[in-house]
Amino acid sequence: MSENITGRIYDIQGFSVHDGPGIRTTVFTKGCPLRCLWCHSPESQKYPYELSYLNIKCIGVELCGGLCLNACANGALRVLEAEKSSVSEEMAAKVEIDRSKCVSCLKCTEACPSKALVPSGRESCVEDIYARVEKDRIFFKKDGGVTISGGEPMSQFEFSCNLAAKFHENGINVCLDTTGFAPAEQYLRILPYIRLFLYDLKHMDSARHEKLTGVPNEMILSNAGVIADGGGALQIRVPVIPKLNADWENLARTADFCAGLGEAVQQVQLLPYHSMGKSKYERLGWIYKLTNVDPPGDEFMAKVLELFESRGLPAMIH
Ligand code: SF4
Ligand code: SF4
């Protein structure tokens, strides 16, 4: 195990109650081989650093002196017409990014005093992340711990594996939130350190899976079996997205597949689609493509729950 090994993360969040059992601290790694159309964390997808801009935090060029404009050598920032400031009654002339000119050098993020411009992503080593998470240990109690999420943590395998080992060996239980899209031998190597794999099943048909996520599903389905056969525990997560994967045939095939994994499946979480990640796309200057999809209704979700329970699965709507 190496404590000096570094990886690229984009956030560490404490007090999470959605990333595995109990109260958890979640470490989000950067970079993912999938491109799910409904992705709630677009800032996690690309491995290179990106420029993120939150207009509401910009205090205006008069107040800060236009520090970002001076920092940008590429003319990628321009001043907008003044609008009412979010921090005072004054009018403020905020900035806009011309993404076609921006080369992601991130110089403007060092200059911006209000953190309106921030880098998405930073390097961190196992030891530093451990020290940060250790501060939350008192809140973990019996079930809580750390979750390594992303992005796809397995796409920085040596880093994620060393991180998991460090927590495990110091008595902090580890959940790994993974797409399942990584070599089987890597899952077998990391398995001894993982208390629970949070494992997404997005579509059972490989061609359709590829259309929705950018990759086929054979390796993902096969790795679920590798983890189950290797003695790992799985929390299967099924996003339920009308028009994309929420047809009855696919849901029934998904339920059958989960049932086939046997006792390794500790829980199936059915996740009704929502578009709450949409504003993150704007911050990165990206376009959110799922504009014609609505969340599934409560009645429909209740029927999906019944379907999974009819296979004897410990399912819940999350
Ligand atoms: S990241 Fe670099 S190129 Fe892009 S706006 Fe900021 S300073 Fe300009
Ligand atoms: S983005 Fe930051 S540096 Fe640029 S005008 Fe706004 S507050 Fe000033």
Side-chain angles (χ1 to χ4, degrees), residues 53-55 57-69 77 79 93-96 108 111-117:
Y53 176 54
L54 196 53
N55 172 289
K57 285 192 164 183
C58 175
I59 56 178
V61 291
E62 295 90 349
L63 214 53
C64 73
L67 294 169
C68 59
L69 301 172
L77 292 161
V79 183
K94 301 185 179 190
V95 296
E96 180 181 62
C108 55
C112 177
S114 69
K115 303 223 177 301
L117 291 158

Side-chain angles (χ1 to χ4, degrees), residues 6-244:
T6 61
R8 191 165 290 182
I9 64 171
Y10 72 89
D11 205 0
I12 298 178
Q13 282 175 9
F15 296 98
S16 169
V17 289
H18 300 292
D19 297 319
I23 294 173
R24 312 193 70 81
T25 298
T26 304
V27 179
F28 293 93
T29 62
K30 195 152 162 59
C32 180
L34 274 65
R35 291 289 178 267
C36 304
L37 293 174
W38 57 91
C39 178
H40 295 150
S41 45
E43 70 275 40
S44 73
Q45 289 185 357
K46 295 181 184 168
Y47 184 72
Y49 298 124
E50 291 163 277
L51 175 62
S52 174
Y53 176 54
L54 196 53
N55 172 289
I56 198 164
K57 285 192 164 183
C58 175
I59 56 178
V61 291
E62 295 90 349
L63 214 53
C64 73
L67 294 169
C68 59
L69 301 172
N70 299 334
C72 181
N74 297 289
L77 292 161
R78 74 176 187 92
V79 183
L80 292 169
E81 271 188 34
E83 58 178 276
K84 196 147 174 243
S85 166
S86 38
V87 294
S88 72
E89 288 303 300
E90 306 289 314
M91 296 292 276
K94 301 185 179 190
V95 296
E96 180 181 62
I97 305 164
D98 179 345
R99 297 272 173 183
S100 68
K101 291 184 181 164
C102 174
V103 296
S104 296
C105 69
L106 303 178
K107 296 248 167 61
C108 55
T109 65
E110 292 160 21
C112 177
S114 69
K115 303 223 177 301
L117 291 158
V118 288
S120 162
R122 64 181 191 268
E123 296 297 310
S124 204
C125 71
V126 168
E127 186 55 35
D128 287 351
I129 295 172
Y130 178 79
R132 160 62 192 88
V133 174
E134 166 72 20
K135 289 183 187 157
D136 294 348
R137 194 178 190 131
I138 189 170
F139 305 111
F140 295 159
K141 304 222 164 86
K142 189 168 144 273
D143 291 330
V146 68
T147 296
I148 307 174
S149 182
E152 171 50 72
M154 298 293 278
S155 66
Q156 298 183 60
F157 177 71
E158 292 303 331
F159 169 63
S160 296
C161 193
N162 277 275
L163 199 54
K166 172 79 180 172
F167 287 122
H168 176 77
E169 283 161 18
N170 286 280
I172 295 178
N173 84 66
V174 186
C175 290
L176 183 77
D177 185 1
T178 180
T179 61
F181 196 76
E185 57 272 20
Q186 293 185 347
Y187 283 101
L188 290 172
R189 265 181 70 197
I190 204 168
L191 197 144
Y193 312 124
I194 305 299
R195 171 162 163 202
L196 186 66
F197 289 85
L198 314 181
Y199 205 92
D200 281 11
L201 291 180
K202 302 168 204 282
H203 207 290
M204 296 305 292
D205 179 80
S206 190
R208 183 81 177 132
H209 192 280
E210 188 161 4
K211 203 156 190 183
L212 299 177
T213 70
V215 303
N217 71 5
E218 285 85 356
M219 183 157 64
I220 295 167
L221 299 182
S222 158
N223 281 336
V226 167
I227 292 168
D229 293 345
L234 291 155
Q235 180 191 85
I236 303 282
R237 301 174 140 196
V238 183
V240 179
I241 312 168
K243 298 182 189 169
L244 301 196

